[in-house]
């Protein structure tokens, strides 16, 4: 971990935290999910640097060590895309591979559509390509579905506010490591789905938890609730909703996301290739939603094999 260097890149009036390792000619930029941060890519960054790549990850605006948006300004998906473009320019990266996890898959895919000249290929973990459109979760899942709860202004703030940040991150890691969608009962909050004595996943240490907690204590959780949970209705007018760059989807066979309505169909190569014609799909049977932390060696090799084919 000491080999990873840290810096800040100016994007307008904001300073975004960037972590970087390696000096190879080909660069890979990692996009985290929630409740993750640049640190969630630690295993992949070191492995890719050792294989001769330049590995870069950053905290989104309002996450970790990156500045939050100005008061009154809510972060948007277009902000993430613009921030990514600025970081590539600031680091003199003309063309890169993008690796996105969880909701980080969305900016990875959309950036490849909007800026195909800057992208060699896209790897996503935990979430297949979902073309832009209105969110339909409310039609298929109950009111206690965690995304619907966290979308509601004030609901998550009240739920999370009963605990310290470390406990909130701990509980979400436990919830998202299960293979059932987190759904609370009518008189229950999402945090109540985890008993206080529930152990952490075996692959996630107390040291890892302390690192995440320190970063979220710095940033708070407000922007994390805005992006992604309160921004799924944002309108995208993409010139062409098809991802045409080479793409790899890595899914854990026990990822609860597979139980979302319509998601499993988007992981099937025949159906998915209508939207991502150059797609490969790989399942890690015992993998959960945090497959890159749970099975880092397998994920590292899958990524390296993909990169080797498309350099």
């Amino acid at each position: 971990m000491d080999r990873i260097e840290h810096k800040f890149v100016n994007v307008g009036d904001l300073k975004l935290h960037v972590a970087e390792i390696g000096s190879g000619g080909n660069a890979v930029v990692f996009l985290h999910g929630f409740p993750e941060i640049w640190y969630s890519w630690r295993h992949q960054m070191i492995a890719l640097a050792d294989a001769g790549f330049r590995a870069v990850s950053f905290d989104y605006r309002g996450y970790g060590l990156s500045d939050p948006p100005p008061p009154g300004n809510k972060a948007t998906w277009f902000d993430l895309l613009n921030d990514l473009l600025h970081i590539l320019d600031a680091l003199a990266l003309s063309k890169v591979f993008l690796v996105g996890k969880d909701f980080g898959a969305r900016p990875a895919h959309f950036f490849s559509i909007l800026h195909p000249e800057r992208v060699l290929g896209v790897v996503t973990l935990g979430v297949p390509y979902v073309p832009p459109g209105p969110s339909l979760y409310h039609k298929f899942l109950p009111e206690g579905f965690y995304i619907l709860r966290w979308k509601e202004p004030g609901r998550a703030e009240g739920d999370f506010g009963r605990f310290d940040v470390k406990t909130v991150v701990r509980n979400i890691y436990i919830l998202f490591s299960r293979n059932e969608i987190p759904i609370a009962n009518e008189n229950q909050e999402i945090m109540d789905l985890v008993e206080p004595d529930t152990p952490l996943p075996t692959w996630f240490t107390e040291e890892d938890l302390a690192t995440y907690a320190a970063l979220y204590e710095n940033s708070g959780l407000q922007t994390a609730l805005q992006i992604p949970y309160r921004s799924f209705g944002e309108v995208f007018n993409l010139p062409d909703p098809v991802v045409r760059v080479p793409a790899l989807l890595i899914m854990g066979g026990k990822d609860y996301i597979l139980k979302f309505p319509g998601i499993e169909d988007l992981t099937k190569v025949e159906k998915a290739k209508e939207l991502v014609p150059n797609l490969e799909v790989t399942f890690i049977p015992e993998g959960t939603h945090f497959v890159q932390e749970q099975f880092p060696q397998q994920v590292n090799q899958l990524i390296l094999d993909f990169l080797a084919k498309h350099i």
Side-chain angles (χ1 to χ4, degrees):
M1 292 294 293
D2 292 342
R3 294 163 52 200
I4 296 177
E5 299 178 352
H6 299 267
K7 65 182 70 173
F8 288 87
V9 169
N10 292 320
V11 179
D13 293 331
L14 303 184
K15 290 185 177 180
L16 302 185
H17 169 246
V18 175
E20 182 175 1
I21 183 173
S23 56
N26 293 293
V28 182
V29 177
F30 293 89
L31 304 170
H32 65 77
F34 177 77
E36 295 157 299
I37 218 80
W38 77 266
Y39 180 80
S40 63
W41 295 114
R42 60 198 178 281
H43 303 300
Q44 287 69 48
M45 292 178 71
I46 292 170
L48 266 61
D50 288 344
F53 290 89
R54 183 179 178 187
V56 177
S57 183
F58 69 100
D59 296 337
Y60 303 140
R61 56 174 60 201
Y63 277 78
L65 299 177
S66 290
D67 287 345
N73 288 21
K74 294 181 178 179
T76 69
W77 292 101
F78 277 108
D79 287 331
L80 295 193
L81 295 168
N82 185 58
D83 292 345
L84 175 55
L85 182 61
H86 274 79
I87 287 172
L88 296 190
D89 289 343
L91 300 181
L93 299 174
S94 59
K95 203 164 189 176
V96 301
F97 289 97
L98 297 175
V99 181
K101 157 72 172 38
D102 185 63
F103 83 85
R106 194 177 221 199
H109 285 134
F110 286 5
F111 191 88
S112 78
I113 293 171
L114 293 169
H115 303 283
E117 75 286 353
R118 305 296 295 269
V119 181
L120 289 162
V122 171
V123 180
T124 58
L125 297 87
V127 176
Y129 174 57
V130 180
S135 173
L136 301 177
Y137 293 138
H138 63 285
K139 293 187 176 182
F140 300 101
L141 291 164
E143 173 274 338
F145 174 48
Y146 76 98
I147 289 180
L148 297 179
R149 286 287 183 88
W150 293 350
K151 181 180 179 181
E152 180 184 339
R155 187 68 182 257
E157 289 87 339
D159 185 8
F160 295 171
R162 298 176 295 154
F163 307 95
D164 59 29
V165 171
K166 185 176 182 179
T167 301
V168 172
V169 174
R170 171 187 174 277
N171 288 353
I172 295 173
Y173 250 85
I174 291 170
L175 280 175
F176 286 5
S177 296
R178 296 171 176 171
N179 63 358
E180 296 295 331
I181 299 174
I183 297 175
N185 295 324
E186 183 178 353
N187 297 316
Q188 185 183 39
E189 298 299 332
I190 298 299
M191 290 291 99
D192 299 328
L193 295 173
V194 180
E195 295 295 332
D197 59 352
T198 305
L200 287 169
T202 56
W203 41 265
F204 192 71
T205 68
E206 288 289 343
E207 182 182 358
D208 294 332
L209 176 60
T211 299
Y212 279 96
L215 290 166
Y216 274 104
E217 282 170 359
N218 180 76
S219 65
L221 292 160
Q222 194 59 47
T223 302
L225 290 169
Q226 177 63 27
I227 294 284
Y229 300 105
R230 296 173 184 170
S231 301
F232 281 123
E234 188 175 332
V235 176
F236 287 89
N237 295 311
L238 298 178
D240 176 7
V242 176
V243 175
R244 301 194 181 277
V245 300
L248 170 65
L249 170 63
I250 302 171
M251 292 293 303
K254 295 184 176 180
D255 193 330
Y256 73 93
I257 293 289
L258 290 169
K259 296 184 177 179
F260 280 31
I263 289 296
E264 189 170 6
D265 284 343
L266 295 175
T267 68
K268 295 175 180 176
V269 173
E270 298 79 11
K271 178 69 175 176
K273 282 200 170 187
E274 296 174 12
L275 296 167
V276 192
N278 298 307
L279 176 68
E280 303 172 47
V281 180
T282 298
F283 279 81
I284 296 177
E286 296 300 311
T288 65
H289 193 55
F290 300 102
V291 68
Q292 88 281 15
E293 295 182 275
Q294 185 183 9
F295 294 108
Q297 291 184 335
Q298 287 178 251
V299 169
N300 295 348
Q301 193 58 55
L302 288 169
I303 294 173
L304 286 168
D305 290 346
F306 175 80
L307 300 181
K309 285 189 281 188
H310 299 290
I311 291 175

